[in-house]
mmCIF file of all heavy atoms in Angstrom:
data_model
loop_
_atom_site.group_PDB
_atom_site.id
_atom_site.type_symbol
_atom_site.label_atom_id
_atom_site.label_comp_id
_atom_site.label_asym_id
_atom_site.label_seq_id
_atom_site.Cartn_x
_atom_site.Cartn_y
_atom_site.Cartn_z
ATOM 1 N N VAL A 29 -43.615 -23.353 -11.229
ATOM 2 C CA VAL A 29 -42.584 -23.829 -10.238
ATOM 3 C C VAL A 29 -41.257 -24.073 -10.967
ATOM 4 O O VAL A 29 -40.214 -23.711 -10.517
ATOM 5 C CB VAL A 29 -43.068 -25.101 -9.530
ATOM 6 C CG1 VAL A 29 -41.916 -25.718 -8.723
ATOM 7 C CG2 VAL A 29 -44.236 -24.770 -8.607
ATOM 8 N N THR A 42 -24.976 -17.330 -11.951
ATOM 9 C CA THR A 42 -24.353 -16.028 -12.229
ATOM 10 C C THR A 42 -23.447 -15.586 -11.088
ATOM 11 O O THR A 42 -22.360 -15.046 -11.291
ATOM 12 C CB THR A 42 -25.488 -14.969 -12.424
ATOM 13 O OG1 THR A 42 -26.313 -15.382 -13.490
ATOM 14 C CG2 THR A 42 -24.886 -13.622 -12.741
ATOM 15 N N GLY A 95 -3.764 -5.141 15.764
ATOM 16 C CA GLY A 95 -2.923 -6.221 16.252
ATOM 17 C C GLY A 95 -1.444 -5.858 16.331
ATOM 18 O O GLY A 95 -0.765 -6.180 17.312
ATOM 19 N N LYS A 99 1.363 -5.462 19.595
ATOM 20 C CA LYS A 99 2.659 -6.143 19.628
ATOM 21 C C LYS A 99 3.788 -5.135 19.806
ATOM 22 O O LYS A 99 4.707 -5.365 20.571
ATOM 23 C CB LYS A 99 2.856 -6.953 18.360
ATOM 24 C CG LYS A 99 2.028 -8.205 18.289
ATOM 25 C CD LYS A 99 2.252 -8.978 16.979
ATOM 26 C CE LYS A 99 1.371 -10.215 16.935
ATOM 27 N NZ LYS A 99 1.568 -10.943 15.644
ATOM 28 N N THR A 122 -6.179 3.007 2.612
ATOM 29 C CA THR A 122 -7.557 2.619 2.603
ATOM 30 C C THR A 122 -8.454 3.809 2.903
ATOM 31 O O THR A 122 -9.521 4.031 2.261
ATOM 32 C CB THR A 122 -7.819 1.543 3.676
ATOM 33 O OG1 THR A 122 -6.947 0.422 3.443
ATOM 34 C CG2 THR A 122 -9.290 1.055 3.585
ATOM 35 N N LYS A 179 22.895 1.464 20.274
ATOM 36 C CA LYS A 179 22.062 0.662 21.168
ATOM 37 C C LYS A 179 21.476 1.521 22.262
ATOM 38 O O LYS A 179 20.309 1.285 22.687
ATOM 39 C CB LYS A 179 22.871 -0.483 21.782
ATOM 40 C CG LYS A 179 23.146 -1.601 20.754
ATOM 41 C CD LYS A 179 23.936 -2.778 21.380
ATOM 42 C CE LYS A 179 24.117 -3.874 20.393
ATOM 43 N NZ LYS A 179 24.889 -5.017 20.936
ATOM 44 N N GLU A 182 18.664 3.280 20.687
ATOM 45 C CA GLU A 182 17.547 2.354 20.467
ATOM 46 C C GLU A 182 16.719 2.199 21.734
ATOM 47 O O GLU A 182 15.484 2.227 21.706
ATOM 48 C CB GLU A 182 18.040 1.009 19.976
ATOM 49 C CG GLU A 182 16.921 0.036 19.707
ATOM 50 C CD GLU A 182 17.400 -1.336 19.373
ATOM 51 O OE1 GLU A 182 18.461 -1.736 19.913
ATOM 52 O OE2 GLU A 182 16.686 -2.092 18.670
ATOM 53 N N LYS A 194 0.054 4.581 23.703
ATOM 54 C CA LYS A 194 -0.775 4.444 24.864
ATOM 55 C C LYS A 194 -2.153 3.892 24.506
ATOM 56 O O LYS A 194 -2.631 4.059 23.383
ATOM 57 C CB LYS A 194 -0.963 5.768 25.622
ATOM 58 C CG LYS A 194 0.319 6.289 26.203
ATOM 59 C CD LYS A 194 0.101 7.651 26.805
ATOM 60 C CE LYS A 194 1.380 8.200 27.395
ATOM 61 N NZ LYS A 194 1.200 9.581 27.953
ATOM 62 N N ASN A 206 -14.388 3.470 14.132
ATOM 63 C CA ASN A 206 -15.689 2.862 14.243
ATOM 64 C C ASN A 206 -16.769 3.750 13.599
ATOM 65 O O ASN A 206 -17.671 3.258 12.961
ATOM 66 C CB ASN A 206 -16.063 2.598 15.694
ATOM 67 C CG ASN A 206 -15.290 1.393 16.253
ATOM 68 O OD1 ASN A 206 -14.884 0.498 15.465
ATOM 69 N ND2 ASN A 206 -15.120 1.308 17.554
ATOM 70 N N LEU A 208 -16.282 5.909 11.214
ATOM 71 C CA LEU A 208 -16.087 5.838 9.776
ATOM 72 C C LEU A 208 -16.604 4.497 9.238
ATOM 73 O O LEU A 208 -17.188 4.458 8.145
ATOM 74 C CB LEU A 208 -14.594 5.977 9.408
ATOM 75 C CG LEU A 208 -14.014 7.351 9.559
ATOM 76 C CD1 LEU A 208 -12.489 7.325 9.292
ATOM 77 C CD2 LEU A 208 -14.649 8.333 8.631
ATOM 78 N N ASN A 229 -10.108 5.535 -10.110
ATOM 79 C CA ASN A 229 -9.396 6.272 -11.110
ATOM 80 C C ASN A 229 -8.772 7.571 -10.556
ATOM 81 O O ASN A 229 -7.604 7.913 -10.845
ATOM 82 C CB ASN A 229 -10.263 6.630 -12.306
ATOM 83 C CG ASN A 229 -10.593 5.434 -13.171
ATOM 84 O OD1 ASN A 229 -9.961 4.372 -13.010
ATOM 85 N ND2 ASN A 229 -11.512 5.586 -14.107
ATOM 86 N N VAL A 231 -7.942 8.323 -7.371
ATOM 87 C CA VAL A 231 -6.838 8.030 -6.432
ATOM 88 C C VAL A 231 -5.610 7.567 -7.192
ATOM 89 O O VAL A 231 -4.477 8.038 -6.921
ATOM 90 C CB VAL A 231 -7.281 7.010 -5.369
ATOM 91 C CG1 VAL A 231 -6.135 6.690 -4.467
ATOM 92 C CG2 VAL A 231 -8.466 7.572 -4.552
ATOM 93 N N ASP A 247 15.365 10.887 -13.658
ATOM 94 C CA ASP A 247 16.103 10.642 -14.906
ATOM 95 C C ASP A 247 16.907 11.850 -15.332
ATOM 96 O O ASP A 247 17.927 11.718 -15.989
ATOM 97 C CB ASP A 247 15.088 10.271 -15.983
ATOM 98 C CG ASP A 247 14.460 8.908 -15.736
ATOM 99 O OD1 ASP A 247 15.012 8.099 -14.997
ATOM 100 O OD2 ASP A 247 13.355 8.678 -16.322
ATOM 101 N N VAL A 249 18.372 14.190 -13.345
ATOM 102 C CA VAL A 249 19.531 14.525 -12.506
ATOM 103 C C VAL A 249 20.580 13.424 -12.677
ATOM 104 O O VAL A 249 20.294 12.232 -12.491
ATOM 105 C CB VAL A 249 19.096 14.588 -11.022
ATOM 106 C CG1 VAL A 249 20.309 14.835 -10.143
ATOM 107 C CG2 VAL A 249 18.056 15.695 -10.842
ATOM 108 N N LYS A 265 6.194 4.245 -3.002
ATOM 109 C CA LYS A 265 5.624 3.611 -1.808
ATOM 110 C C LYS A 265 4.139 3.937 -1.668
ATOM 111 O O LYS A 265 3.291 3.085 -1.420
ATOM 112 C CB LYS A 265 6.387 4.074 -0.583
ATOM 113 C CG LYS A 265 5.989 3.386 0.721
ATOM 114 C CD LYS A 265 6.696 3.963 1.910
ATOM 115 C CE LYS A 265 8.189 3.690 1.868
ATOM 116 N NZ LYS A 265 8.862 4.153 3.118
ATOM 117 N N GLU A 303 23.244 5.562 2.975
ATOM 118 C CA GLU A 303 23.722 6.926 2.953
ATOM 119 C C GLU A 303 23.478 7.585 4.310
ATOM 120 O O GLU A 303 24.378 8.335 4.832
ATOM 121 C CB GLU A 303 23.065 7.742 1.825
ATOM 122 C CG GLU A 303 23.515 9.165 1.710
ATOM 123 C CD GLU A 303 25.017 9.296 1.462
ATOM 124 O OE1 GLU A 303 25.612 8.317 0.994
ATOM 125 O OE2 GLU A 303 25.569 10.398 1.729
ATOM 126 N N ILE A 320 39.892 8.664 10.854
ATOM 127 C CA ILE A 320 40.807 7.767 10.158
ATOM 128 C C ILE A 320 40.442 6.298 10.453
ATOM 129 O O ILE A 320 40.472 5.456 9.578
ATOM 130 C CB ILE A 320 42.270 8.043 10.538
ATOM 131 C CG1 ILE A 320 42.653 9.456 10.054
ATOM 132 C CG2 ILE A 320 43.214 6.982 9.954
ATOM 133 C CD1 ILE A 320 44.053 9.896 10.450
ATOM 134 N N VAL A 351 5.247 1.977 -13.662
ATOM 135 C CA VAL A 351 4.515 3.239 -13.533
ATOM 136 C C VAL A 351 3.280 3.225 -14.499
ATOM 137 O O VAL A 351 2.167 3.609 -14.088
ATOM 138 C CB VAL A 351 5.385 4.438 -13.849
ATOM 139 C CG1 VAL A 351 4.584 5.721 -13.865
ATOM 140 C CG2 VAL A 351 6.499 4.536 -12.823
ATOM 141 N N ARG A 356 -6.534 1.028 -14.489
ATOM 142 C CA ARG A 356 -7.529 1.913 -13.909
ATOM 143 C C ARG A 356 -8.953 1.353 -14.103
ATOM 144 O O ARG A 356 -9.933 2.037 -13.836
ATOM 145 C CB ARG A 356 -7.443 3.317 -14.521
ATOM 146 C CG ARG A 356 -6.118 3.981 -14.174
ATOM 147 C CD ARG A 356 -6.055 5.398 -14.644
ATOM 148 N NE ARG A 356 -4.758 6.001 -14.419
ATOM 149 C CZ ARG A 356 -4.439 7.220 -14.749
ATOM 150 N NH1 ARG A 356 -5.290 7.992 -15.330
ATOM 151 N NH2 ARG A 356 -3.233 7.694 -14.471
ATOM 152 N N PRO A 358 -11.404 -1.317 -12.713
ATOM 153 C CA PRO A 358 -11.602 -2.256 -11.637
ATOM 154 C C PRO A 358 -11.799 -3.664 -12.165
ATOM 155 O O PRO A 358 -12.502 -3.887 -13.144
ATOM 156 C CB PRO A 358 -12.849 -1.743 -10.910
ATOM 157 C CG PRO A 358 -12.844 -0.275 -11.201
ATOM 158 C CD PRO A 358 -12.301 -0.161 -12.585
ATOM 159 N N THR A 363 -16.401 -8.900 -14.934
ATOM 160 C CA THR A 363 -17.436 -9.880 -14.736
ATOM 161 C C THR A 363 -18.788 -9.413 -15.170
ATOM 162 O O THR A 363 -19.686 -10.225 -15.263
ATOM 163 C CB THR A 363 -17.498 -10.272 -13.225
ATOM 164 O OG1 THR A 363 -17.954 -9.117 -12.505
ATOM 165 C CG2 THR A 363 -16.203 -10.732 -12.694
ATOM 166 N N GLN A 364 -18.960 -8.091 -15.414
ATOM 167 C CA GLN A 364 -20.271 -7.674 -15.797
ATOM 168 C C GLN A 364 -20.359 -7.319 -17.266
ATOM 169 O O GLN A 364 -21.365 -6.927 -17.761
ATOM 170 C CB GLN A 364 -20.718 -6.469 -14.987
ATOM 171 C CG GLN A 364 -19.597 -5.602 -14.533
ATOM 172 C CD GLN A 364 -20.137 -4.307 -13.930
ATOM 173 O OE1 GLN A 364 -20.868 -3.570 -14.544
ATOM 174 N NE2 GLN A 364 -19.743 -4.026 -12.730
ATOM 175 N N VAL A 365 -19.255 -7.506 -18.000
ATOM 176 C CA VAL A 365 -19.317 -7.258 -19.437
ATOM 177 C C VAL A 365 -20.137 -8.323 -20.087
ATOM 178 O O VAL A 365 -20.348 -8.335 -21.233
ATOM 179 C CB VAL A 365 -17.875 -7.299 -19.999
ATOM 180 C CG1 VAL A 365 -17.838 -6.854 -21.443
ATOM 181 C CG2 VAL A 365 -16.941 -6.485 -19.202
ATOM 182 N N PRO A 369 -26.833 -8.441 -24.865
ATOM 183 C CA PRO A 369 -27.272 -9.072 -26.115
ATOM 184 C C PRO A 369 -26.831 -8.243 -27.321
ATOM 185 O O PRO A 369 -26.732 -7.032 -27.241
ATOM 186 C CB PRO A 369 -28.806 -9.036 -25.985
ATOM 187 C CG PRO A 369 -29.061 -7.882 -25.028
ATOM 188 C CD PRO A 369 -27.903 -7.830 -24.090
#
Side-chain angles (χ1 to χ4, degrees):
V29 170
T42 302
K99 288 180 181 178
T122 305
K179 286 183 176 178
E182 182 187 30
K194 294 176 181 177
N206 284 336
L208 287 176
N229 286 350
V231 176
D247 291 339
V249 177
K265 186 184 294 186
E303 182 59 21
I320 295 177
V351 174
R356 295 186 184 179
T363 66
Q364 32 170 303
V365 187

